[in-house]
Amino acid sequence: MNYQKIMVSIFLSLSLLMVVSACNNSADSKKNQQAKKDTVIKTAIKREEPAAVKKAPVINIMDTLSIKQTVLCIKDSAATSGRIALKLGQIYGVKLPAIIKKEKLKVTGPPMAWYKTSKAPFFFEAGLPVDRKPAKLPPNAIIKQIGQDSVIVAHFYGPYDLTDQAYTALQDWMKDHKKKSILPPYEVYVDDPVDKNGKLKDPYKVQTDIIFTWR
């Protein structure tokens, strides 16, 4: 499975959606400017349509142990949430594959990410698990070691913008079981977000794992 191509596809798709949205906003702005020049404006009264209700995501929580892994990561930041998608596309599709090829490493699992902040500016580390630690690392590249630790995992199925519900569910579990988080949470993008034809899958059939390490 080529995880680099998969992640590039989804992040480019997200970026395209943001560009389309920006273009639509620009077009609306031009229409408003033209309307201001008219002395008489006739408007048709439109009945507001009810907002579409998103189906709730599926969140299954499991108390388990993490698997020992060596993760090759790139540290980066983004001034806006929209820039995160572009940065991740570069990391998973260009920067990490270049290091892996040069050091003759093997990818051993799906992409992972650690988000250090929830508000702008955003700081994050995006990585791929590899078979061994490389001899040399370029600037901004680091190795994260995941041990066999006690973790709770939220297996999340649904639109990515609803993952905050999984974080809340995990925090509630920690509180109910009187456990304390000892490391920053991280995400694992388990499933291919695109099908064999390059089209985005139904998000409710795509698994993302959100993981808390506890004691």
Side-chain angles (χ1 to χ4, degrees):
M1 185 182 297
N2 192 325
Y3 290 109
Q4 290 84 3
K5 289 184 179 178
I6 290 167
M7 298 312 294
V8 170
S9 296
I10 189 169
F11 290 122
L12 287 180
S13 298
L14 290 171
S15 301
L16 178 59
L17 287 173
M18 287 185 281
V19 171
V20 171
S21 176
C23 290
N24 288 339
N25 290 338
S26 177
D28 290 341
S29 177
K30 289 180 180 178
K31 287 180 181 178
N32 291 336
Q33 289 175 1
Q34 290 173 354
K36 289 178 182 178
K37 294 178 181 178
D38 296 333
T39 54
V40 178
I41 301 175
K42 294 182 179 181
T43 58
I45 299 175
K46 294 183 179 180
R47 188 175 296 174
E48 291 187 3
E49 297 293 334
V53 178
K54 260 183 189 174
K55 186 171 69 172
V58 176
I59 303 171
N60 299 319
I61 294 180
M62 177 184 294
D63 183 6
T64 184
L65 293 174
S66 57
I67 300 171
K68 287 185 177 181
Q69 295 184 87
T70 297
V71 187
L72 174 64
C73 296
I74 298 290
K75 298 173 68 173
D76 210 332
S77 63
T80 65
S81 58
R83 292 285 297 170
I84 295 176
L86 298 174
K87 291 287 188 82
L88 290 177
Q90 279 289 312
I91 291 171
Y92 290 125
V94 179
K95 294 181 179 180
L96 287 175
I99 301 171
I100 289 167
K101 182 178 180 180
K102 183 178 180 180
E103 297 295 326
K104 298 180 181 179
L105 306 175
K106 291 183 180 179
V107 177
T108 58
M112 309 169 77
W114 287 255
Y115 298 96
K116 304 295 184 179
T117 53
S118 58
K119 295 181 180 179
F122 300 96
F123 295 90
F124 57 90
E125 297 164 355
L128 289 168
V130 291
D131 60 336
R132 58 182 173 81
K133 183 178 178 179
K136 293 183 179 180
L137 289 173
N140 292 332
I142 61 170
I143 288 292
K144 294 180 77 72
Q145 297 287 356
I146 296 177
Q148 194 173 29
D149 302 310
S150 295
V151 296
I152 49 166
V153 183
H155 301 304
F156 176 90
Y157 301 85
Y160 186 80
D161 61 355
L162 298 181
T163 52
D164 60 322
Q165 296 183 31
Y167 280 87
T168 299
L170 290 171
Q171 289 165 353
D172 289 344
W173 185 97
M174 298 278 282
K175 184 178 180 180
D176 292 342
H177 291 78
K178 298 180 180 179
K179 303 298 183 183
K180 183 179 180 181
S181 181
I182 59 173
L183 293 171
Y186 57 97
E187 299 182 1
V188 181
Y189 308 111
V190 178
D191 285 333
D192 301 5
V194 295
D195 62 21
K196 62 182 180 180
N197 298 316
K199 294 182 179 180
L200 289 175
K201 292 180 181 177
D202 177 352
Y204 293 92
K205 295 180 180 179
V206 176
Q207 180 180 340
T208 298
D209 285 352
I210 293 100
I211 302 172
F212 280 29
T213 306
W214 62 266
R215 67 177 178 192

